Amino acid sequence: MFRIHGTGAGKEVYSFPEGARAPLLGAVALRYRLLPFLYAMSWRVTEGGSFLYPLGMAFPDDPAVRRIGDEYMFGRNLLVSPVVEKGVTTRPVRLPAGRVWYDFWTGDRFDGDRTITVAAPIDHMPLHVAAGTILPLGAEVQYADQSPDQPVELRVYRGADGRFTLYDDAGDGQGWRHGARATIALTLDDAAGTLTLGPRDGRYPGMAANRQFRIVTVAPGNGAGLSQGRGIDIRYDGRRQVVRLAPAG
């Protein structure tokens, strides 16, 4: 969580100089699109996981990343490389060995165990996604529970097998502590070229009987950045469903 607190003038986006508003709004838009991922990660933390991992912990067999202090893993599959120097517009990024990586913003694919130079303007934090990732993204909204039944975009990063557990509950209250929650296990079989949505496990008051998903195979120019990707639209009714993916880009 990140919140701006303190005394003095207001901290709303419109309180900042006009030139600073676009980057702030871009960060807010990214956060809202990531809400399904963030919510699922929050559930994972309650079971003993972590939001953040230093590279040396996530990749103990890669000595090249053990002392890197300006990159970190957000969950197990998202590599974040913040800009920590004023005025720079590019920065080097070390991609850990043993994985294939995609640039979140472009969909370009890179082998690991190398250092690349990436764009890093003020409105563009370098972000890379490991092959095998299933990344759920929500709709473009103005507040968290504006459209809970909007389609969820499931971005699939081909090149390795992967798993992800999508989590949902009523969105407020303590019912989740007593079992009022639901999960969907997602499984990527890269060799078979399929994404399996497992049977829904659990329920909660007000849960929609059906959900809409768009399955997007990430490639350069598709499923990149904040724009909606082209993909396969499905209706999920809680039963196991297997989707044939588009070829890897």
Side-chain angles (χ1 to χ4, degrees), residues 120-168:
I122 193 170
D123 60 349
H124 185 117
M125 180 184 291
L127 180 61
H128 291 84
V129 187
T133 298
I134 306 164
L135 180 64
L137 296 178
E140 298 179 4
V141 296
Q142 297 298 310
Y143 53 92
D145 59 353
Q146 176 183 352
S147 301
D149 297 328
Q150 287 291 312
V152 171
E153 182 177 338
L154 298 177
R155 291 190 178 179
V156 179
Y157 294 81
R158 300 287 303 273
D161 294 340
R163 296 177 180 274
F164 190 83
T165 300
L166 196 62
Y167 173 86
D168 202 10

Side-chain angles (χ1 to χ4, degrees), residues 1-247:
M1 297 175 64
F2 179 78
R3 295 176 178 168
I4 301 175
H5 291 287
T7 59
K11 303 302 187 291
E12 301 87 353
V13 170
Y14 57 77
S15 299
F16 287 81
E18 186 172 355
R21 293 175 195 169
L24 292 173
L25 288 170
V28 171
L30 176 60
R31 183 257 180 180
Y32 276 127
R33 290 223 63 199
L34 283 170
L35 276 181
F37 171 76
L38 298 174
Y39 212 50
M41 287 296 300
S42 297
W43 168 246
R44 186 177 297 178
V45 169
T46 69
E47 295 190 314
S50 176
F51 278 112
L52 308 181
Y53 295 91
L55 296 190
M57 180 182 293
F59 301 95
D61 297 327
D62 184 357
V65 303
R66 291 176 186 168
R67 297 186 180 277
I68 293 179
D70 62 350
E71 300 178 27
Y72 63 89
M73 297 301 297
F74 188 28
R76 290 293 188 179
N77 290 339
L78 271 63
L79 173 65
V80 185
S81 306
V83 175
V84 295
E85 297 181 25
K86 181 179 179 179
V88 302
T89 56
T90 62
R91 65 150 292 169
V93 171
R94 180 67 186 183
L95 301 176
R99 307 290 290 271
V100 172
W101 299 91
Y102 287 80
D103 187 313
F104 174 83
W105 300 104
T106 67
D108 292 333
R109 179 169 164 160
F110 302 91
D111 291 331
D113 196 21
R114 60 187 293 196
T115 298
I116 61 175
T117 298
V118 301
I122 193 170
D123 60 349
H124 185 117
M125 180 184 291
L127 180 61
H128 291 84
V129 187
T133 298
I134 306 164
L135 180 64
L137 296 178
E140 298 179 4
V141 296
Q142 297 298 310
Y143 53 92
D145 59 353
Q146 176 183 352
S147 301
D149 297 328
Q150 287 291 312
V152 171
E153 182 177 338
L154 298 177
R155 291 190 178 179
V156 179
Y157 294 81
R158 300 287 303 273
D161 294 340
R163 296 177 180 274
F164 190 83
T165 300
L166 196 62
Y167 173 86
D168 202 10
D169 59 25
D172 197 5
Q174 300 297 314
W176 64 273
R177 294 183 181 274
H178 310 291
R181 57 181 183 263
T183 57
I184 303 171
L186 309 175
T187 305
L188 167 61
D189 185 329
D190 192 59
T194 59
L195 178 70
T196 300
L197 291 78
R200 184 162 42 205
D201 183 14
R203 63 180 301 105
Y204 57 88
M207 183 179 76
N210 301 300
R211 298 191 66 177
Q212 301 294 324
F213 293 102
R214 171 169 290 184
I215 316 301
V216 176
T217 299
V218 174
N222 187 47
L226 298 181
S227 61
Q228 294 281 347
R230 301 181 303 278
I232 304 167
D233 294 320
I234 67 167
R235 177 177 174 270
Y236 173 79
D237 62 4
R239 293 178 292 182
R240 181 178 181 271
Q241 191 167 349
V242 179
V243 179
R244 176 70 60 179
L245 298 171

